[in-house]
């Protein structure tokens, strides 16, 4: 289990600070993550990687020459927010465009996609490539739904090596997509991981059993088998990957493949070498020539006891890129000479005291825009909005462990943690705006940014959209009518469905948001007060949340484990129902004047 931490909520940030201090020769901290210490490379496409904390050396450990220019790092097992990603990209942009590449998870897709749109609109051409190497997470005909696991390294390496040659943004994207299309991974585990501050692992495996097809966020495997010997594990991994070859790969003709045998956190190097001994023999017998194998911890999951095998079926071009030199804190290949940002002699270990603490790191945070004008009525309402957000945070705090348990049934178990991070960020941002004299709409806008930035992940993006939609509907000039609040919720519902690509029946928060919005709109249109209308809508939300227990997930991380989720409500739907009921209690106790 994860034993060493201070405040679990500060774990990710403190880990980044310590990592950067330990590897100041290679990296520097920038808002949102880390970047090469040497700064942007003029005229070179910048490759920005990223994802949640808990996977070291992914993602910060892969920043360096021949690899990533920067890494956007989120909270534990949660994607970084679009704001963080954009800040990292701006810090490393060399004027030739930016490739954002990441594992294919809903939150990452949302946030990196939003960041790419914002960067492009600001004059920085940006593209995205999501890695989809995990064969256990979707069928071959649905590779676009597959998760990104240790194959991230292959795609990152190919894209970055292409960028180092001076390739254009279109060419770097083409190479990343080619590497992704020819990369496959499969993993097994013997025990789950325990998040900082948690008292139990996200999933358990019975004694003498092995989970197969697991994810790197604590998602349970798709099945269990009897615990085999090391050689039998090797055979299971190789057989699964040889059973599904990418288009254009002909085993009969013999092939060359790059290889990553990856430890997930608690399987040690000697154990990996024992497995690799058999893996290499099996692949040789199958006519596969292994090129520059990597055996070690490349993409972990805290203390998960498990391992995965990744094969990238090489073309001549991909082989050159796979074997090209690289120099990052956790991945080194070939020889690049001394890092261009440290003028010391080869082999000289610098004293940490000689490295100025962030002295050369410019502040990349954009200036906060001035507050819009707000009427006295709106400023008064803003104080009530902050009190309601405090109620939301208290509700999330009370139920965080329960939400994590529900999420862990078929997902990664981090929903409670993510909601706590998000609600905390929203409250802090809202109080700050209120203190500056903001109106209600602006308080909600700032709360939306705070939630999305602090939480990351899918829920962070969607709750950011919800709060921002409400802020737009309420505005800063007048007290809204109940119908205006209902219109804001309806707008939020449409925005969530558009952004998250979910529909009613997919077993997501949309299953609650839609009936809640419809009930609120109907009740306010009938002339009921906001508190009474909210009560009716919260009751509909509770019924809808309970009904998700009978649904099978059709999207998100729980989809590969759909059958396991039967009988358990969706965590996002459940948390939304809890929150709207708590808000009603606050409205009933102290009705908002409309």
């Amino acid at each position: 289990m994860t034993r060493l931490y201070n405040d679990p909520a500060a774990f990710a940030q403190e880990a980044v600070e310590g990592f950067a201090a330990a590897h100041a020769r290679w990296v520097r901290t920038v808002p949102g993550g880390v970047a090469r210490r040497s700064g942007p490379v003029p005229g070179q496409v910048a490759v920005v990687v990223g994802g949640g904390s808990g996977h070291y050396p992914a993602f910060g450990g892969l920043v360096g020459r021949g690899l990533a220019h920067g890494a956007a790092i989120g909270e534990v097992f949660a994607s970084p927010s679009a704001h963080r990603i954009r800040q990292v990209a701006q810090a490393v942009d060399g004027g030739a465009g930016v490739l954002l590449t990441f594992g294919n998870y809903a939150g990452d897709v949302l946030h990196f996609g939003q960041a790419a749109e914002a960067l492009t609109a600001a004059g920085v051409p940006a593209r995205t490539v999501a890695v989809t190497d995990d064969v256990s997470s979707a069928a071959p005909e649905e590779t676009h739904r597959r998760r990104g696991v240790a194959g991230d390294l292959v795609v990152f390496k190919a894209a970055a090596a292409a960028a180092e040659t001076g390739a254009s943004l279109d060419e770097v994207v083409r190479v990343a997509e080619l590497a992704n299309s020819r990369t496959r991974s499969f993993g097994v585990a013997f025990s789950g991981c325990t998040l900082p501050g948690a008292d139990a692992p996200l999933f358990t495996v019975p004694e003498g059993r092995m989970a197969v097809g697991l994810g790197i966020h604590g998602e349970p495997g798709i099945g269990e088998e009897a615990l085999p010997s090391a050689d039998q594990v090797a055979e299971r991994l190789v057989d699964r990957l040889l059973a599904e070859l990418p288009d254009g790969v002909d085993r009969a003709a013999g092939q060359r493949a790059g290889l990553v045998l990856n430890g997930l956190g608690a399987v040690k190097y000697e154990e990996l070498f024992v497995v690799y001994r058999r893996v290499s023999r099996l692949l040789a017998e199958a006519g596969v020539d292994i090129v520059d194998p990597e055996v070690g911890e490349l993409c972990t999951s805290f203390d998960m006891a498990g391992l995965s095998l990744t094969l990238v079926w090489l073309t001549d071009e991909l082989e050159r890129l796979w074997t090209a030199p690289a120099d990052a804190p956790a991945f080194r290949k070939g020889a690049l000479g001394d890092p261009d940002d440290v003028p010391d002699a080869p082999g000289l270990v610098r004293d940490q005291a000689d490295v100025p603490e962030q002295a050369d790191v410019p502040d990349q945070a954009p200036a906060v825009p001035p507050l819009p004008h707000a009427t006295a009525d709106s400023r008064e309402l803003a104080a009530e909005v902050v009190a309601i957000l405090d109620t939301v945070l208290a509700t999330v705090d009370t139920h965080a462990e329960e939400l994590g348990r529900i999420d862990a049934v078929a997902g990664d178990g981090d929903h409670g943690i993510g909601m706590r991070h998000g609600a905390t960020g929203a409250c802090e941002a809202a109080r700050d705006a209120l203190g500056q004299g903001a109106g209600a709409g602006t308080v909600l806008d700032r709360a939306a940014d705070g939630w999305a930035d602090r939480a990351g992940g899918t829920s962070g993006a969607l709750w950011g959209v919800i709060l921002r939609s409400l802020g737009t509907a309420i505005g800063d000039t007048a007290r809204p009518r109940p119908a205006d609040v209902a219109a804001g919720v309806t707008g939020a519902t449409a925005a969530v469905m558009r952004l998250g690509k979910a529909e009613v029946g997919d077993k997501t928060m949309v299953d609650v948001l839609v009936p809640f919005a419809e009930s609120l709109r109907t009740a306010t249109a009938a002339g009921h007060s906001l508190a009474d209308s909210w009560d009716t809508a919260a009751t509909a939300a509770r019924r809808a949340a309970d009904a998700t227990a009978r649904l099978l997930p059709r999207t998100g991380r729980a989809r590969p484990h759909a059958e396991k989720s039967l009988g358990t409500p969706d965590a996002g739907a459940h948390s939304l129902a809890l929150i709207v009921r708590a808000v009603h209690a606050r409205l009933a106790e102290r009705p908002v004047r409309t």
Side-chain angles (χ1 to χ4, degrees), residues 330-346:
F331 186 91
R332 297 168 202 170
K333 187 187 290 286
L336 279 168
D338 290 334
D340 51 10
D341 51 322
V342 181
D344 294 334

Side-chain angles (χ1 to χ4, degrees), residues 3 24 32 142 196 253 258 300 386 421 428 450 491 542 546 583:
R3 299 173 178 85
E142 292 187 305
T300 61
V386 170
H421 286 321
E428 290 175 356
R542 179 73 273 158
D546 292 342
V583 170

Side-chain angles (χ1 to χ4, degrees), residues 371-387 430 433-445 470-480 592-594:
L371 293 175
H373 170 72
T375 63
D377 267 355
S378 187
R379 290 196 299 272
E380 181 183 351
L381 178 60
E384 298 175 41
V385 168
V386 170
L434 178 66
Q436 297 178 51
T442 296
V443 163
L444 282 165
D445 284 345
L470 287 171
T472 299
I474 288 173
D476 291 320
T477 59
R479 282 185 169 269
V592 171
R593 182 167 60 85
T594 58

Side-chain angles (χ1 to χ4, degrees), residues 60-138:
L62 305 179
V63 173
R65 290 187 301 162
L67 253 169
H69 296 75
I73 302 172
E75 299 298 327
V76 174
F77 287 1
S79 68
S81 68
H83 181 234
R84 293 189 189 185
I85 298 162
R86 192 167 67 250
Q87 287 178 305
V88 173
Q90 289 168 337
V92 301
D93 172 35
V98 178
L99 170 64
L100 307 176
T101 180
F102 47 89
N104 187 39
Y105 299 90
D108 295 276
V109 171
L110 288 176
H111 287 289
F112 279 92
Q114 289 177 324
E117 290 176 359
L119 287 165
T120 300
V124 179
R127 305 275 293 280
T128 64
V129 173
V131 182
T132 57
D133 58 303
D134 179 17
V135 299
S136 65
S137 54

Side-chain angles (χ1 to χ4, degrees), residues 182-185 241-242 257-260 283 309-313:
R182 297 177 71 89
T183 302
R184 302 288 187 271
S185 298
L241 294 187
L242 292 184
L259 180 150
V260 178
L283 289 173
L309 178 64
T310 299
L311 294 178
V312 51
W313 300 93

Side-chain angles (χ1 to χ4, degrees), residues 338-546:
D338 290 334
D340 51 10
D341 51 322
V342 181
D344 294 334
L348 178 63
V349 178
R350 292 172 58 122
D351 190 300
Q352 183 63 35
D354 294 335
V355 181
E357 183 177 355
Q358 307 307 323
D360 59 346
V361 181
D363 183 3
Q364 300 290 332
V368 178
L371 293 175
H373 170 72
T375 63
D377 267 355
S378 187
R379 290 196 299 272
E380 181 183 351
L381 178 60
E384 298 175 41
V385 168
V386 170
I388 290 172
L389 289 171
D390 286 338
T391 297
V392 171
L393 174 56
T395 302
V396 169
D397 273 338
T398 299
H399 296 278
E401 290 188 11
E402 173 195 4
L403 295 174
R405 286 194 299 272
I406 292 173
D407 191 35
V409 171
D412 56 13
D414 70 343
H415 185 67
I417 293 172
M419 290 292 289
R420 178 180 280 152
H421 286 321
T424 299
C427 286
E428 290 175 356
R431 288 191 209 102
D432 181 66
L434 178 66
Q436 297 178 51
T442 296
V443 163
L444 282 165
D445 284 345
R446 297 288 173 85
D449 291 338
W451 193 307
D453 194 44
R454 185 73 64 85
T458 307
S459 66
L462 299 183
W463 273 96
V465 164
I466 290 170
L467 294 177
R468 186 165 291 105
S469 296
L470 287 171
T472 299
I474 288 173
D476 291 320
T477 59
R479 282 185 169 269
R481 300 166 301 160
D484 296 329
V485 176
V489 174
T490 298
T493 302
V496 165
M497 295 177 72
R498 182 174 61 253
L499 183 64
K501 305 293 192 293
E503 300 177 354
V504 172
D506 284 346
K507 195 166 186 171
T508 70
M509 69 185 304
V510 166
D511 290 297
V512 169
L513 196 52
V514 167
F516 176 77
E518 291 176 349
S519 295
L520 188 64
R521 184 174 63 249
T522 299
T524 56
H528 298 299
S529 69
L530 180 60
D532 288 345
S533 299
W534 200 279
D535 183 23
T536 300
T539 299
R542 179 73 273 158
R543 286 197 300 266
D546 292 342

Side-chain angles (χ1 to χ4, degrees), residues 173-267:
V173 170
R174 180 191 64 78
V175 164
E177 291 175 341
L178 175 64
N180 184 52
S181 72
R182 297 177 71 89
T183 302
R184 302 288 187 271
S185 298
F186 183 65
V188 299
F190 319 111
S191 69
C193 59
T194 305
L195 302 185
D199 57 6
L202 293 178
F203 70 89
T204 58
V205 181
E207 189 72 24
R209 304 285 290 176
M210 174 181 74
V212 297
L214 62 139
I216 58 169
H217 298 94
E219 303 99 327
I222 59 174
E224 287 181 4
E225 299 175 3
L227 183 63
S229 66
D231 282 358
Q232 289 169 327
V233 167
E235 292 160 8
R236 183 73 170 88
L237 296 173
V238 171
D239 287 348
R240 179 62 185 87
L241 294 187
L242 292 184
E244 184 193 319
L245 301 181
D247 291 343
V249 176
D250 180 5
R251 274 183 61 187
Q255 291 291 332
R256 295 170 68 77
L259 180 150
V260 178
L261 184 62
N262 175 60
L264 285 162
V267 173

